[in-house]
Amino acid sequence: MSDDGVRIEITVAAPVDEVWQSFRDKQKILHWHGWEYDGLEQEIDGTFFTDAEETGAHTLSLHGHDVFSLTPVPEGTRVVLTRAPKGTLPEWDEYYDDITEGWITFLHQLKFAHEVQPGVARRTVFWPYAVDLGVAGKPFFESAHQRGVVVEEWGPGLLVTSPKATVATTYGLSDDELETLRQKGDAS
């Protein structure tokens, strides 16, 4: 991290207008942002609409300080999140690193939604700690504190693990299968 904040960058193999809709259409945001919980829709409203402003073509400013910029590249769309430096909102400094890690997860969920499961509704399970689900997968991404693998038996789905949290993004699992997965993580 520099004095200028944190920069997170991914490339999504999809056209810029299509990826942009994943930032401007609430139903499409549900396909990648966060994980299922009772307040997710309110979080999306606040983050992407109430406290957000389109500041240019394919540019979105969140809360007046974090900025998403989408640009076309030969491989699809480059998505860059530039986070304001720590100290911009002192009341949030304690959570700055956790929020940054959350955005890393979410942006890879965006990439996965477009490249592997375009337009398909997902189901997620979140644990606020590291979980060993005993599943193997094909590497999807790796950062300083996270690892994402593609798990075929989840649709295919995406498992993101870190020392502080685990997110399982699944497709096509029944309620019973999802509950079994949740219990497996709770027991680990």
Side-chain angles (χ1 to χ4, degrees), residues 114-153:
H114 277 275
E115 294 180 2
V116 181
Q117 293 286 3
V120 181
R122 68 183 180 147
R123 308 230 13 229
T124 59
V125 181
F126 170 77
W127 295 272
Y129 44 84
V131 168
D132 180 5
L133 295 170
V135 297
K138 177 182 161 192
F140 189 71
F141 80 93
E142 193 158 343
S143 69
H145 304 288
Q146 297 184 44
R147 183 168 187 263
V149 297
V150 178
V151 180
E152 288 298 326
E153 58 265 30

Side-chain angles (χ1 to χ4, degrees), residues 156-179:
L158 181 65
L159 174 64
V160 179
T161 57
S162 78
K164 291 187 170 185
T166 304
V167 182
T169 300
T170 70
Y171 298 85
L173 264 59
S174 70
D175 290 343
D176 288 344
E177 291 168 321
L178 198 67
E179 183 56 30

